[in-house]
Each structure stands twice: as C-alpha cells, then as structure tokens.
Amino acid sequence: MTGWRLGWAVVPASSAHAVEKLAQNLYINAPTLSQHAALACWDSDAIAELEAHRQRYAKNRAIVLHYLTQMGLCLNSEVSPATGAFYVYFDLRRFGVHAKPKEEAQNEKKCDEALWKMTSVELCRRVLDEAYVALAPGVDFEDPSSDVGLSRVRISYSRGTPEVEEGMKRLLHWWQNNVVQ
C-alpha cells in the first residue's frame, strides 16, 4: 500500500524483535482508512481475486518461457528465475546484443565486432517500432557504470493471456527475422 504507511514483512525469527523496533519508529499511527483497507485484503473475495491473478501470471509465465526457448535462450543460464514477480529478465549477449565493442578491445582481440548486432536499448526500440511489442532494456535495472544492462532485457507478462501469447508470437517472428539467422 504505497504511501499509505502500512505494510508487513517476513523475517527470520531471530530478526523479528529488531525489525519490530525499527517498524515502531518508522510506521507510527497508520491512518484508520489504511488499516480498514488492509483488513479487506484478507476477505475471501479479495483472496479469490488475487488467486485468479496468481494463476494467470503462472500461465503467462509459462507462455513467455516457452517462447524464449523457441528463440534459443537457455532457461538455466540466460534467463533469471521468474518466480517472484510478473516479468522475466534475460541476457542476450550470446546473440550479439551488448555494448558496442570498444576499439582497444577489438585491437586486443577481446571482442569480435562481427558478432555485435545492437544494444538492448536498440533492440527494444526496434521490437516496439517493428513488431509492436514493448520490452524494457536492462539499462533501466543495472548499475549505470557497467555495460551489463546493454545485453539484458525485461519483459512483463502482467497483461491478459491472449495479449501475452500474441506479443510473444510477434517477438519470436521478429527475432527469427532479425537476430537469429
């Protein structure tokens, strides 16, 4: 409940007392409205609605992971575990998506410019413009002083299942025609 000064945490029993003391000093006097809204989250209707969302996310996650394997990604090493949210974060370095090789690295034979195709920012823009699928470049989630984000992409599966399926079909088609040849 962002901004409503109400929340909860799961912590090891050994840390509970310390976290409780911290919380008492940070979250004094949660507004009555926030308290009533929080209690409503535990009603059976609210829980049923949330369970339906959780099931949809699980189905959508399976769709996204299926298409990523069709694109040639290795789920064990190139895709972060997608178990706690409604997005998948993956690395495309092996496919030539990364920072453009620097001249000095090329001279030392550390990078092969022939492999480089584009950065994740360029890839996301092209996929949006050409396939009408929105992806988020990894630069939005990585340390700006590193080039790691230029090889990574995040995709959300929070929409309806038909939309996720259609988006992944479009992404796969674009991928097959533009990256994997």
Side-chain angles (χ1 to χ4, degrees):
M1 298 176 62
T2 305
W4 288 30
R5 296 180 51 199
L6 193 61
W8 57 276
V10 176
V11 297
S14 61
S15 301
H17 184 67
V19 171
E20 181 181 18
K21 287 193 296 186
L22 180 63
Q24 288 172 346
N25 289 299
L26 294 175
Y27 304 107
I28 297 172
N29 298 330
T32 303
L33 178 61
S34 299
Q35 294 177 42
H36 287 288
L39 288 175
C41 291
W42 298 107
D43 290 347
S44 59
D45 289 346
I47 291 172
E49 181 178 344
L50 293 173
E51 179 58 24
H53 285 297
R54 192 192 64 73
Q55 290 175 5
R56 186 184 79 234
Y57 291 155
K59 185 174 183 177
N60 291 352
R61 178 178 56 244
I63 290 168
V64 169
L65 294 175
H66 167 77
Y67 278 95
L68 290 178
T69 59
Q70 296 296 306
M71 291 167 53
L73 272 80
C74 177
L75 296 184
N76 293 329
S77 62
E78 294 172 319
V79 179
S80 294
T83 56
F86 44 81
Y87 59 85
V88 177
Y89 195 58
F90 48 99
D91 192 289
L92 300 172
R93 176 172 291 280
R94 181 167 55 93
F95 300 96
V97 178
H98 52 80
K100 187 167 184 169
K102 295 180 174 69
E103 242 180 80
E104 58 273 12
Q106 290 172 5
N107 293 340
E108 297 172 14
K109 304 279 189 223
K110 290 183 181 174
C111 274
D112 180 7
E113 188 171 1
L115 176 63
W116 183 79
K117 291 187 172 81
M118 65 191 89
T119 67
S120 63
V121 175
E122 294 164 324
L123 179 134
C124 291
R125 178 161 313 278
R126 285 193 57 199
V127 170
L128 181 61
D129 290 345
E130 298 168 22
Y132 308 107
V133 175
L135 305 170
V139 295
D140 293 342
F141 311 103
E142 297 289 348
D143 179 352
S145 67
S146 77
D147 287 338
V148 174
L150 293 171
S151 66
R152 296 182 178 168
V153 174
R154 187 172 99 161
I155 186 166
S156 171
Y157 50 84
S158 62
R159 302 292 303 226
T161 300
E163 293 167 304
V164 171
E165 179 91 40
E166 177 63 25
M168 292 309 296
K169 284 179 183 176
R170 289 181 189 182
L171 177 59
L172 176 62
H173 183 263
W174 184 90
W175 182 261
Q176 291 170 333
N177 290 312
N178 292 281
V179 178
V180 179
Q181 296 178 26

